[in-house]
């Protein structure tokens, strides 16, 4: 893997340069759109034992997820400005299952995808009502039809996608004509500094960010990504 052979996942510029190195994690930055990313063949992405352990630890306590997703639900309400009851909602990356449970209680017609088995196992055990609603599958395996959702939600998910623009274009086809998409991602600006602080607290098994995060987004690169996919922010 050479440092100048990695195309930017947003603008496809092949001049991305090495931005940060931490062990076997190489992080590149595009000089054009400022996108920060790991190459899709990065070794940390194959560290399945570590990734499984990190998710198990992260989901072990339900209370933080309840508080976090209650706040998220309020932000979604602010985005929609209409009742959630009866809306066809797709959540990609159901994670702890907490938001899915809250959306069901709001009366939404909820469907979820959670491709990570350890997360799927925890969420259906914690929220049995989600068992028939959340598929343990990747998006391309789900077979959704066009215009089948009024709202698509992605929280802490887009950063796991190696081709975020292409992925968002696929999602756009699933939305109704008046549909909306709600996306939240962690900011990876100042990744070197944040990585040092995370290391002090023993986060991410010694990596500066979650080893499964491929698209390391910032406020600027999120805007460029959404614009490239034709979304208005």
């Amino acid at each position: 893997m050479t440092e100048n052979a990695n195309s930017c996942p947003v603008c496809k510029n092949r001049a991305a340069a090495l931005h940060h190195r931490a062990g076997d994690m190489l992080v590149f930055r595009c000089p054009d759109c400022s996108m920060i990313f790991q190459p899709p063949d990065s070794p940390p992405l194959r560290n399945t034992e570590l990734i499984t352990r990190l998710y198990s630890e992260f989901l072990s306590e339900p209370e933080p997820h309840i508080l976090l997703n209650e706040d998220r639900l309020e932000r979604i309400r602010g985005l929609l400005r209409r009742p959630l009851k009866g809306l066809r909602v797709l959540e990609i990356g159901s994670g702890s299952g907490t938001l899915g449970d809250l959306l069901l209680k709001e009366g939404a017609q909820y469907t979820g995808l959670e491709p990570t088995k350890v997360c799927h196992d925890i969420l259906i055990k914690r929220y049995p009502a989600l068992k028939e609603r959340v598929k343990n599958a990747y998006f391309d395996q789900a077979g959704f039809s066009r215009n089948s959702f009024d709202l698509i939600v992605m929280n802490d998910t887009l950063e796991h996608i190696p081709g975020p623009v292409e992925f968002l274009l696929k999602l756009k086809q699933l939305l109704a004509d008046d549909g909306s998409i709600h996306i939240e991602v962690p900011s990876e600006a100042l990744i070197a500094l944040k990585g040092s602080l995370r290391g002090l607290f023993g986060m991410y098994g010694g990596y500066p960010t979650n080893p499964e995060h491929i698209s390391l987004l910032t406020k600027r690169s999120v805007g460029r990504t959404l614009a490239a996919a034709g979304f208005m922010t």
Side-chain angles (χ1 to χ4, degrees), residues 53-200:
R53 177 171 63 81
L54 291 176
Y55 283 127
S56 297
E57 292 173 354
F58 178 67
L59 297 174
S60 61
E61 297 294 333
E63 186 64 26
H65 299 283
I66 293 171
L67 297 174
L68 173 65
N69 285 288
E70 285 176 343
D71 287 342
R72 281 176 170 161
L73 185 61
E74 288 303 313
R75 290 193 288 273
I76 290 170
R77 287 196 184 104
L79 168 74
L80 291 176
R81 298 181 181 177
R82 57 173 168 164
L84 283 159
K85 185 175 182 179
L87 287 189
R88 300 166 299 168
V89 180
L90 170 64
E91 184 181 20
I92 299 179
S94 296
S96 66
T98 308
L99 183 60
D101 180 66
L102 292 171
L103 287 166
L104 276 181
K105 290 174 179 176
E106 291 284 322
Q109 298 179 37
Y110 175 82
T111 301
L113 287 179
E114 179 46 63
T116 304
K117 188 176 187 304
V118 63
C119 297
H120 185 262
D121 290 347
I122 290 171
L123 75 87
I124 61 174
K125 182 178 181 181
R126 188 170 290 164
Y127 301 107
L130 296 179
K131 185 174 182 180
E132 302 303 322
R133 294 179 175 271
V134 179
K135 298 180 181 180
N136 179 209
Y138 287 95
F139 174 77
D140 289 339
Q141 301 168 330
F144 296 123
S145 57
R146 287 175 175 264
N147 309 115
S148 53
F149 295 100
D150 304 301
L151 172 66
I152 296 176
V153 177
M154 295 178 68
N155 293 314
D156 300 326
T157 299
L158 190 62
E159 65 271 19
H160 294 263
I161 307 299
V165 175
E166 292 80 3
F167 188 78
L168 289 172
L169 287 170
K170 291 178 182 178
L171 293 189
K172 201 173 183 181
Q173 297 177 359
L174 302 185
L175 283 172
D177 291 340
D178 60 346
S180 302
I181 186 165
H182 179 88
I183 297 174
E184 295 187 17
V185 296
S187 173
E188 291 294 358
L190 304 175
I191 185 173
L193 176 60
K194 289 181 178 178
S196 298
L197 294 174
R198 288 162 174 164
L200 289 175

